Amino acid sequence: MIAGPFFDQRRLQMNIAAPTPRQHRGGRSGRALPRGRQASDADHAALRAITAPDPARRDLLIEYLHAVNDAKGHLPAALLVALAEAMRLPLAEVFETATFYAHFRIVEGDEPAMVTLRICDSLSCCMAGADALAAQLEALGPDMRIERAPCMGQCDRAPCVTYGRNVLAPATLEHVQVAHAERAVQPVLPPYKGLAAYRTQGGYAVLSRLRSGALTREALLTELETANLRGMGGAGFPTARKWRALLAQPGPRLLAVNGDEGEPGTLKDRWFLEADPHGFLEGLLIAAHVIEADAAYIYLRDEYPALHVVVADELQALREAGLLGDLRIELRRGAGAYICGEESAMLESIEGKRGLPRQKPPYPFQVGLFGRPTLINNVETLYWVAAIADKGAAWWNSHGRNGSSGLRSYSVSGRVRNPGVKLAPAGLTITELIEDYSGGMLPGHQFMAYLPGGASGGILPASMNDIPLDFGTLEKYGCFIGSAAVIVLSDQDDVKDAALNLMKFFRHESCGQCTPCRVGTEKAATLMAQPKWDEPLLRDLAQVMRDASICGLGQAAPNPLLSVLERFR
């Protein structure tokens, strides 16, 4: 800081007024009020009427933003200023977090509460008529905000519309009009198996044996290794090996559950939680016991409002039954960011920040959530942990076809009679999945192509219908099974339009951290929208994205594009 006679003389020469007493508070800063915006007492009172921010819990910033957004229908800028002051955070930090997530909208000044009507524009919903429905909904009235949104995990009930916290699927103009007239705000809960019913069927017996010592940790890990259980979130990493890697790290350790299945076509985690949440919760408690975690965080996507209620209620039931022990479990709510399905981006979001993937190494099992070694598993993986521990690896390995073993939950959508999650032997073919499990093709539709692993898993023609759908069987064709989200296309679909839809999804969901992904998805979508594709330029662009993107989003985004160039000439 410049001080002294010279500085005072320069002030006089430049005709700069000396600071008034109100501007000074003494000390080095010489400033009584911070630069920029300040919240009024009324703003702080309005914030306290909604939530009481704890400045010591920086990680709860997104939860506080949700509370304000739910109460107001948007984020008033004045309340964000009050939130920043209450949490003792820079205002820029609060604003950058709020603007990162699609489900938040900042509004300057006063605006009446407005219901957001979000229409899914993923591939499955567009095939089911989402574009025509969107055109009809535009005329509903001025008190609703209409926006197109990426996949909402309702691909089996397409098209999907969310009205506030309600999910309307399959959605029609009449459904939305009824919801609008009734102003329904509470999500409808699914008919799921509660704690009493689960325990009646032998639930939590494995956890009890593990805690009592009747089942050792080593015996459980050996059973998972014998079953060759792999991560069902998409990467397929051996589960027992991941757990052993955590045990090799010094404590204290944490557990983070990835329930942010944002891949277009994927709905399996929703299916498990809607039917049997305690199958998942027992797996979570088993994992936490094995790795000696003292806390667990469940990160569940915001598009599943009913499941947030279900999981919260059943956690409370477990707490009252004394089954949680000393384990602290926190349920966290996503905010509309597909990138947070990437494990390190999810950790950043749980910490209350933008969901930007971290550079690796170090890996999350070394330095994870809050800097501690962290085990990350998805919902389905933990569900099968409990089932295998109960029924044994031999039961698991008795399933499977074409050289594969175990069960897979295939999320099937598109041009089939009976879309939905199909629990089937791992390694079955697309023909078996369509004919034996999905009721065949829709009337008047002929099987033309399929996505074996969601938006990033590539596209294969119907002629390649004998490939086992499992880990390691599709890579040589430039595809992968991922989370087993299978989207079926017919002769009434344009595969180039499908690939463009997927690229637009990646463009929308890129976190923007790295140039190859941020710019690459934008340029690819622009080039793919042209009547004639510039193949050399698209191939060159795809190679750059694959080689230089930080995380799997940018690396896998070109897969559908390359599939079209190579297999649909």
Side-chain angles (χ1 to χ4, degrees):
M1 180 178 177
I2 301 176
F6 174 77
F7 179 68
D8 293 336
Q9 183 63 31
R10 291 289 295 166
R11 190 201 314 276
L12 292 174
Q13 292 175 356
M14 298 172 64
N15 196 29
I16 300 176
T20 64
R22 182 177 181 275
Q23 293 173 307
H24 274 285
R25 63 180 180 189
R28 294 186 64 189
S29 67
R31 185 178 297 277
L33 297 174
R35 296 174 188 260
R37 308 184 187 190
Q38 291 87 46
S40 66
D41 292 341
D43 295 331
H44 281 284
L47 178 65
R48 287 193 300 271
I50 298 170
T51 184
D54 181 354
R57 293 296 305 272
R58 167 66 180 80
D59 58 303
L60 292 179
L61 173 59
I62 295 174
E63 298 298 312
Y64 297 140
L65 292 173
H66 272 304
V68 175
N69 198 65
D70 289 345
K72 297 293 186 179
H74 55 259
L75 295 177
L79 293 192
L80 292 187
V81 177
L83 180 60
E85 292 181 4
M87 296 191 70
R88 301 168 192 167
L89 291 173
L91 182 56
E93 198 168 324
V94 175
F95 265 73
E96 73 176 9
T97 302
T99 54
F100 181 84
Y101 295 94
H103 291 186
F104 297 140
R105 184 173 66 100
I106 301 175
V107 172
E108 295 281 356
D110 296 327
E111 179 178 301
M114 184 179 295
V115 173
T116 298
L117 198 64
R118 306 179 74 242
I119 308 159
C120 181
D121 64 359
S122 71
L123 180 57
S124 297
C125 280
C126 285
M127 292 164 65
D131 293 330
L133 178 60
Q136 293 177 319
L137 296 178
E138 292 288 347
L140 274 186
D143 59 339
M144 286 193 296
R145 183 167 62 96
I146 311 295
E147 67 177 36
R148 301 301 295 267
C151 186
M152 302 175 185
Q154 307 288 332
C155 310
D156 57 331
R157 304 192 286 230
C160 175
V161 171
T162 60
Y163 183 93
R165 296 287 288 162
N166 286 271
V167 177
L168 308 175
T172 65
L173 178 62
E174 291 74 19
H175 292 161
V176 177
Q177 287 174 325
V178 169
H180 185 45
E182 296 178 351
R183 288 293 195 272
V185 294
Q186 296 301 322
V188 179
L189 303 188
Y192 64 91
K193 187 190 302 180
L195 177 59
Y198 185 74
R199 297 188 76 176
T200 299
Q201 298 175 2
Y204 292 103
V206 172
L207 178 66
S208 177
R209 291 170 52 215
L210 192 61
R211 287 175 171 174
S212 68
L215 174 64
T216 66
R217 177 169 60 193
E218 184 58 34
L220 175 63
L221 288 171
T222 300
E223 200 75 10
L224 296 179
E225 286 171 334
T226 303
N228 192 28
L229 179 65
R230 301 173 67 169
M232 300 297 186
F237 193 85
T239 301
R241 190 191 305 176
K242 180 182 283 191
W243 290 20
R244 290 189 187 279
L246 258 293
L247 289 171
Q249 301 297 315
R253 308 179 188 95
L254 295 174
L255 170 62
V257 179
N258 190 340
D260 194 62
E261 54 173 5
E263 182 86 5
T266 308
L267 50 121
K268 59 187 180 59
D269 290 349
R270 190 204 86 204
W271 184 77
F272 282 107
L273 292 176
E274 284 181 342
D276 188 13
H278 284 282
F280 151 68
L281 290 172
E282 183 173 13
L284 181 155
L285 294 175
I286 289 171
H289 180 89
V290 169
I291 69 166
E292 300 174 355
D294 57 10
Y297 295 80
I298 303 173
Y299 189 86
L300 188 57
R301 66 183 311 200
D302 195 33
E303 288 84 352
Y304 295 162
L307 293 183
H308 279 271
V309 177
V310 169
V311 174
D313 288 349
E314 297 312 304
L315 283 175
Q316 181 60 29
L318 288 174
R319 193 172 291 110
E320 293 172 356
L323 289 172
L324 293 186
D326 296 329
L327 181 67
R328 175 171 55 87
I329 300 181
E330 294 193 22
L331 177 60
R332 293 299 178 85
R333 182 174 161 190
Y338 165 73
I339 190 61
C340 291
E342 196 276 338
E343 58 179 13
S344 63
M346 179 190 70
L347 299 182
E348 291 287 298
S349 189
I350 293 175
E351 293 179 1
K353 299 180 247 179
R354 294 176 295 165
L356 301 180
R358 298 174 180 177
Q359 295 281 2
K360 302 172 187 177
Y363 296 95
F365 78 90
Q366 299 166 315
V367 180
L369 193 58
F370 307 117
R372 293 164 57 176
T374 304
L375 171 64
I376 303 174
N377 280 134
N378 87 310
V379 170
E380 185 190 0
T381 305
L382 294 175
Y383 181 91
W384 291 127
V385 162
I388 292 171
D390 180 33
K391 300 177 182 179
W395 162 79
W396 177 260
N397 290 329
S398 67
H399 302 281
R401 295 183 185 174
N402 302 310
S404 297
S405 62
L407 292 167
R408 290 302 301 261
S409 54
Y410 296 95
S411 302
V412 183
S413 62
R415 307 299 191 181
V416 295
R417 289 177 182 267
N418 302 316
V421 174
K422 311 300 176 182
L423 196 58
L428 84 175
T429 66
I430 184 62
T431 299
E432 294 170 317
L433 186 59
I434 293 174
E435 298 299 331
D436 299 342
Y437 289 87
S438 306
M441 298 292 293
L442 283 172
H445 290 262
Q446 182 178 348
F447 179 38
M448 181 190 70
Y450 65 106
L451 283 68
S456 55
I459 308 175
L460 292 173
S463 59
M464 301 177 68
N465 61 354
D466 58 350
I467 304 171
L469 299 178
D470 198 11
F471 294 118
T473 62
L474 295 159
E475 283 74 4
K476 61 183 177 182
Y477 305 109
C479 299
F480 54 83
I481 189 68
S483 59
V486 180
I487 304 177
V488 179
L489 307 180
S490 78
D491 56 343
Q492 298 186 26
D493 300 307
D494 186 321
V495 72
K496 289 178 64 177
D497 288 345
L500 175 58
N501 178 285
L502 300 174
M503 187 59 73
K504 287 180 178 179
F505 167 80
F506 290 122
R507 178 184 66 185
H508 182 272
E509 294 302 312
S510 173
C511 74
Q513 181 178 192
C514 69
T515 303
C517 177
R518 181 185 68 249
V519 178
T521 53
E522 169 65 35
K523 296 300 182 185
T526 301
L527 291 169
M528 293 168 69
Q530 301 302 313
K532 181 176 175 57
W533 286 8
D534 186 336
E535 182 172 341
L537 183 56
L538 282 170
R539 285 187 178 277
D540 184 54
L541 181 59
Q543 192 63 47
V544 171
M545 293 171 65
R546 282 182 159 184
D547 292 344
S549 295
I550 289 175
C551 79
L553 190 154
Q555 294 164 10
N559 287 346
L561 158 66
L562 294 174
S563 296
V564 173
L565 292 176
E566 294 169 7
R567 307 194 190 281
F568 298 88
R569 302 301 302 181

